[in-house]
Amino acid sequence: MDHVADNTRGGTLALFGTWLASPWHRTPDDEMVLPLCINVVLSVVGFGVVLRAIPALSSMFIEAGLFGRDLCKADRTKKVPESMGMVSGTVFLVMMFLFLGVPFGQHFITSSKPFPHAAFSEYLTSLLSICCMLFLGFADDVLNLKWRYKLVLPTLASLPLLMVYYINKGSTTVVVPRLLRAWMGGTLNIGVLYYIYMSMLAVFCTNAINIYAGINGLESGQAVVVGASVAVFNVIELGGFQAKSHFFSLCVIIPFTITSLGLFIHNRYPAKAFVGDTFTYFAGMTFAVVAIIGHFSKTVLLFFIPQIFNFLYSVPQLFHFVPCPRHRLPQYNKKLDKLEPSVVEFRDTSVRWQMMVALRLLNHLKLVHLEEGVGEDGKLCRVNNLTLINLVLVLIGPQHEGSLTTKLLVLQGLSSGLALFIRYPLADLFF
Ligand code: UD1
Ligand code: MG
């Protein structure tokens, strides 16, 4: 499905188990086990640092003007430190720099093979791209950039990695589905389109996480679930043809997931910290980067099913076919202490008739809640803001903020299960 060689798999989990069980009887491939163990230990240390650093640095962020108001609470006067993704992101990068010497330094001691310059440069530029995005996300938090810049920035941040991918002669070949093989052959080299796809992946991942946000713990929580899912996928693939690529991806995704868990603990309901666009961009870029270095840039999208749905559902508002307010997060109902879908109002004449027909159809299918003929003069329409969060509230009724986040994270986890099902049993039918 992904890369040509990406298709081949072995009894990976069993192999991984054998490694862990017999550390003193290593075969050449076992060179991965010790680095992975050190990686996990460093990540756990990073988790502890994030957990302690966030409360310690909160007042400093607030004093610097980096704070937001929790819009889904009765008391909106409280200042919640914003951009806390900077803390988890910095700790992640420090852990990655400390870890750098492990797989590559170990190479000098235990291996007689030539030094893996290609992998080393790919690894370094991955960190450069992630670091760039952390910086650009922070710039967005401080400067409130316009949407057009939000689209350009991830493309720019992905350039160093794409350049190294090109220099290292990274594959641009995709597997052709069985049905089309008679006409197109088994594989197809799509050349420059592959590079365009990879840079668009960075744009998609960063923005898709950023717009699936607004309730406590969702931004960081989805990143933890997707990160853990990618890690599981990498571990499964460790026994395959592309073991080295998945190993490097794993070395990035483990510290990312564990440090983000530290952030989630402060960001979950009731939030003591907001992650900021610093985190959403940094997280999105990390997923794009691991997918590129791990050679699973198409499979990774399977772990973004809720985000893809949320993006498609948001299209009418993102492209202003329907008005899009600054915030689309749910509305707090003080009496119930629950969240309800937030709505946007517009004159029926201000929206194209095709859009109105689409909204009526979606209303019929219970996929939006549309009210027509409201307002004093009866000429207003009211529809829920088109986000997955609001849709869930339309479908299951008002929810407490904490339990809504939990439900959405469970949905994310179930989607990952579906993703693995599509990637393995189902993909084998088609590829
Ligand atoms: C994106 C969404 C916007 C959503 C916002 C929430 C689109 C096009 N944009 O905008 O609809 O309202 O994210 O993050 O879909 N906040 C809370 N509770 C939370 C998280 C955030 O109240 O749990 C509020 C805080 O006031 C915080 C602000 O959202 O300061 C952060 O918003 P920001 O990340 O700047 O919004 P965008 O990413 O531009
Ligand atoms: Mg945001």
Side-chain angles (χ1 to χ4, degrees):
M1 175 173 184
D2 243 314
H3 231 251
V4 189
D6 203 20
N7 243 10
T8 323
R9 301 170 281 285
T12 326
L13 281 173
L15 191 65
F16 195 64
T18 319
W19 280 339
L20 290 176
S22 57
W24 315 118
H25 302 98
R26 293 198 190 117
T27 63
D29 266 0
D30 301 345
E31 281 169 12
M32 295 178 198
V33 179
L34 186 63
L36 280 178
C37 292
I38 297 175
N39 186 285
V40 171
V41 171
L42 277 173
S43 306
V44 173
V45 172
F47 171 79
V49 175
V50 172
L51 218 53
R52 283 169 160 261
I54 289 180
L57 295 172
S58 288
S59 56
M60 198 191 275
F61 273 64
I62 293 174
E63 273 162 34
L66 289 166
F67 62 83
R69 312 275 177 190
D70 203 331
L71 303 174
C72 297
K73 301 286 182 302
D75 176 19
R76 291 191 185 178
T77 55
K78 214 175 131 215
K79 294 176 177 174
V80 181
E82 183 81 77
S83 307
M84 278 299 164
M86 189 44 113
V87 178
S88 73
T90 307
V91 171
F92 162 80
L93 282 173
V94 170
M95 292 305 152
M96 291 315 295
F97 295 150
L98 290 176
F99 177 71
L100 199 61
V102 177
F104 296 104
Q106 179 194 283
H107 187 89
F108 282 116
I109 305 165
T110 59
S111 179
S112 52
K113 289 184 223 154
F115 185 77
H117 287 283
F120 189 55
S121 58
E122 220 168 80
Y123 191 84
L124 282 182
T125 38
S126 305
L127 295 188
L128 179 63
S129 288
I130 294 172
C131 193
C132 268
M133 214 54 227
L134 190 69
F135 166 68
L136 294 172
F138 191 63
D140 185 25
D141 276 338
V142 177
L143 305 173
N144 263 322
L145 298 176
K146 291 205 165 67
W147 270 95
R148 54 176 174 271
Y149 299 118
K150 298 191 184 199
L151 297 181
V152 175
L153 296 180
T155 318
L156 295 178
S158 66
L159 282 181
L161 182 59
L162 296 190
M163 183 66 83
V164 169
Y165 193 83
Y166 178 74
I167 293 168
N168 289 346
K169 299 189 175 62
S171 169
T172 51
T173 305
V174 290
V175 177
V176 176
R178 277 183 212 275
L179 274 176
L180 302 175
R181 276 189 202 160
W183 296 283
M184 301 169 80
T187 60
L188 183 67
N189 189 350
I190 58 170
V192 73
L193 288 179
Y194 203 90
Y195 286 90
I196 295 174
Y197 169 77
M198 287 191 288
S199 72
M200 284 176 65
L201 180 72
V203 176
F204 176 77
C205 292
T206 48
N207 287 292
I209 294 180
N210 191 37
I211 65 168
Y212 189 39
I215 55 170
N216 293 177
L218 186 59
E219 285 138 304
S220 50
Q222 64 182 298
V224 171
V225 177
V226 175
S229 314
V230 168
V232 168
F233 173 64
N234 285 153
V235 170
I236 296 172
E237 289 290 325
L238 271 183
F241 247 84
Q242 297 271 328
K244 271 274 173 234
S245 307
H246 285 279
F247 164 72
F248 282 118
S249 162
L250 204 51
C251 292
V252 177
I253 208 68
I254 292 174
F256 169 79
T257 309
I258 299 182
T259 50
S260 299
L261 185 64
L263 179 61
F264 171 73
I265 288 177
H266 293 291
N267 181 228
R268 71 187 163 167
Y269 181 88
K272 289 176 209 71
F274 285 150
V275 302
D277 290 352
T278 311
F279 179 76
T280 52
Y281 288 6
F282 151 66
M285 195 64 184
T286 305
F287 292 129
V289 158
V290 295
I292 292 170
I293 62 170
H295 298 131
F296 57 97
S297 52
K298 290 186 299 307
T299 300
V300 74
L301 283 182
L302 291 175
F303 297 112
F304 277 85
I305 294 172
Q307 286 77 6
I308 292 172
F309 180 89
N310 185 55
F311 167 73
L312 295 176
Y313 191 61
S314 298
V315 160
Q317 285 194 304
L318 296 181
F319 292 97
H320 295 284
F321 299 131
V322 171
C324 184
R326 167 69 183 88
H327 283 290
R328 301 192 298 158
L329 41 78
Q331 195 175 312
Y332 179 68
N333 182 326
K334 206 172 170 182
K335 257 197 229 152
L336 298 175
D337 186 29
K338 283 184 175 173
L339 300 182
E340 291 172 338
S342 62
V343 295
V344 60
E345 287 184 347
F346 53 89
R347 297 208 155 264
D348 45 10
T349 47
S350 66
V351 166
R352 284 171 188 238
W353 68 266
Q354 295 94 329
M355 194 65 240
M356 281 311 296
V357 172
L359 285 177
R360 283 181 195 129
L361 184 70
L362 289 173
N363 187 46
H364 195 69
L365 297 169
K366 306 248 180 298
L367 286 174
V368 298
H369 181 67
L370 174 72
E371 291 170 90
E372 292 188 69
V374 294
E376 278 173 9
D377 57 1
K379 286 186 176 154
L380 278 183
C381 293
R382 192 180 289 150
V383 70
N384 63 282
N385 275 311
L386 303 169
T387 66
L388 177 57
I389 310 173
N390 283 319
L391 175 60
V392 168
L393 290 173
V394 166
L395 294 175
I396 63 174
Q399 297 289 311
H400 184 262
E401 187 174 359
S403 83
L404 179 59
T405 307
T406 308
K407 286 185 176 107
L408 292 172
L409 293 181
V410 169
L411 180 71
Q412 187 81 47
L414 293 175
S415 309
S416 291
L418 177 67
L420 289 173
F421 179 68
I422 296 174
R423 178 63 180 79
Y424 292 112
L426 275 192
D428 287 343
L429 291 178
F430 298 104
F431 290 92

